[in-house]
Amino acid sequence: ELARCGSGGIMWALFAGISIGLPPILHFGSEELKRKVGPPCLRGDKFICLAITEPWAGSDVANIRTTAKREGDFYIVNGAKKWITNGIWSDYFTVAVRTGGKGAKGISLLLVEKTMPGVKCRHMKCMGVWPSGTTYITFEDVKVPACNIIGKEGEGFRQIMYNFNHERWSLVCQSNRLARVCFEEAFKYAMKRKTFGKRLIDHQMIRFKLAEMVRQIDATHSWTENVTYQLQTMKKKEQNLKLGGTIALLKAQSSKVFEYCAREAAQIFGGASYVRGGVGEKIERMYREVRAYAIPGGSEEILEDFAVRQAARVAKKQAKL
């Protein structure tokens, strides 16, 4: 519903950080961490974000380089995180760090506070979702209490994966609603804009564009309803086994539909969609925001590959049975 405003940036500013940064603490953190971070974040007194992506590791989570070395009752954190949503105004960072060897088994999650010496944040100016507070964060010999570890050492990768289905589902809901906003704006504009003595809606090619847009939007919405029902009725373990690949494909589908609709809406608006302001303002903004849905949460290419690999693993296992 919030996506009706036609601004991904507004939604990301309000909910992106807390929706992915807080769940790891609520699911896996100690009671002390839950009491410290949960209530103030849920009240809106404090802000939190998830810091996983690095300049050299995006979808390839298992190869992050930020380190946390144990020294007595503290971890010493060094490294950098990039494209961190809400980071610039967050009080807490749920940070993926390397506490062990190479690969997924060496990753842990650690709660870092912005006030800790050695933490520096720089706002990044991006193509779209401007209000989201995208941030470049550096950690230089940051001394973090060992009690800020989320769960146990070496369990970070599993904890990160635990929330991926929900994060991707959320992006699906947003992007498909934004695609519908593109359609709605284009339809309303076509009903009143006149060219060559008649309304745009009276041109066959424009009607074709609108039909193609809503055909893809409604198909994606139906698929989303189907997956949402399964998320509500399956237990978490079953979701991860059966829905990971499906949600990955749905996320790729939704961002591609959003991109298609943003382009077609821009074509219907013509030059009005190329201006920041005026009747095509929403279309201009949403066109810039497409990449924010096609890449974060797993790029389209990574997700489609993941879905097929997961299906192959399940098929191989069933064949043995």
Side-chain angles (χ1 to χ4, degrees):
E1 288 300 308
L2 285 169
R4 287 177 182 269
C5 69
S7 171
I10 294 296
M11 292 180 289
W12 287 34
L14 291 173
F15 302 114
I18 192 171
S19 67
I20 57 178
L22 187 58
I25 293 174
L26 299 182
H27 288 303
F28 307 107
S30 65
E31 291 302 316
E32 181 184 354
L33 280 183
K34 291 177 184 178
R35 287 193 298 269
K36 177 180 180 179
V37 177
C41 286
L42 292 171
R43 287 196 304 265
D45 297 329
K46 298 283 186 178
F47 294 91
I48 189 170
C49 66
L50 183 66
I52 296 176
T53 304
E54 299 178 350
W56 38 79
S59 297
D60 189 11
V61 177
N63 285 313
I64 63 165
R65 300 183 189 177
T66 298
T67 60
K69 295 183 179 180
R70 183 73 181 261
E71 292 187 5
D73 293 331
F74 295 89
Y75 286 98
I76 306 302
V77 180
N78 283 283
K81 299 292 179 179
K82 195 174 185 180
W83 299 290
I84 306 305
T85 304
N86 292 183
I88 199 68
W89 57 68
S90 286
D91 303 282
Y92 303 114
F93 308 120
T94 299
V95 185
V97 294
R98 186 162 299 285
T99 53
K102 295 181 180 180
K105 293 182 179 179
I107 297 175
S108 302
L109 287 183
L110 193 64
L111 180 72
V112 179
E113 299 176 44
K114 181 178 283 183
T115 54
M116 292 176 175
V119 177
K120 294 182 181 179
C121 297
R122 175 170 58 84
H123 184 230
M124 299 174 66
K125 295 182 179 180
C126 300
M127 178 192 296
V129 292
W130 293 352
S132 65
T134 306
T135 308
Y136 188 96
I137 308 172
T138 56
F139 305 103
E140 187 174 347
D141 293 330
V142 181
K143 197 174 182 180
V144 182
C147 60
N148 278 26
I149 192 78
I150 299 171
K152 298 179 181 178
E153 278 194 16
E155 294 184 347
F157 189 82
R158 181 179 66 85
Q159 294 166 356
I160 293 167
M161 295 299 112
Y162 189 84
N163 200 50
F164 258 162
N165 280 347
H166 184 267
E167 178 187 353
R168 289 167 180 164
W169 173 85
S170 174
L171 290 169
V172 166
C173 296
Q174 294 176 45
S175 57
N176 205 50
R177 168 51 72 180
L178 291 174
R180 194 176 293 278
V181 173
C182 288
F183 167 77
E184 291 170 349
E185 291 295 310
F187 189 91
K188 289 187 292 186
Y189 187 73
M191 290 291 288
K192 61 183 181 182
R193 169 71 171 170
K194 289 186 176 181
T195 61
F196 302 103
K198 57 183 179 180
R199 299 175 305 168
L200 285 178
I201 197 75
D202 295 321
H203 292 279
Q204 186 179 33
M205 178 53 71
I206 300 300
R207 294 197 299 273
F208 172 79
K209 287 180 179 292
L210 291 169
E212 279 294 288
M213 290 165 70
V214 77
R215 176 182 66 81
Q216 295 182 45
I217 292 167
D218 280 353
T220 306
H221 184 86
S222 179
W223 190 5
T224 304
E225 292 281 1
N226 179 285
V227 169
T228 302
Y229 174 79
Q230 293 180 73
L231 285 171
Q232 292 295 309
T233 54
M234 287 183 183
K235 293 183 178 180
K236 193 69 178 180
K237 186 176 181 179
E238 187 180 9
Q239 290 177 24
N240 292 337
L241 177 65
K242 297 181 178 179
L243 296 183
T246 299
I247 293 175
L249 289 177
L250 178 56
K251 198 241 175 208
Q253 163 78 4
S254 66
S255 60
K256 288 184 176 184
V257 170
F258 179 25
E259 182 166 12
Y260 177 85
C261 292
R263 183 194 185 280
E264 293 300 271
Q267 291 300 110
I268 292 172
F269 271 85
S273 69
Y274 198 64
V275 181
R276 292 181 181 175
V279 294
E281 176 184 10
K282 285 186 179 181
I283 304 303
E284 185 276 331
R285 180 173 59 244
M286 286 188 287
Y287 202 111
R288 284 186 286 104
E289 294 184 341
V290 167
R291 298 271 68 78
Y293 289 88
I295 299 173
S299 67
E300 293 170 352
E301 295 78 9
I302 292 290
L303 293 181
E304 291 182 16
D305 177 66
F306 163 73
V308 176
R309 285 190 291 108
Q310 186 185 57
R313 284 197 301 269
V314 172
K316 185 178 180 179
K317 185 177 180 180
Q318 290 177 340
K320 289 181 179 180
L321 296 175

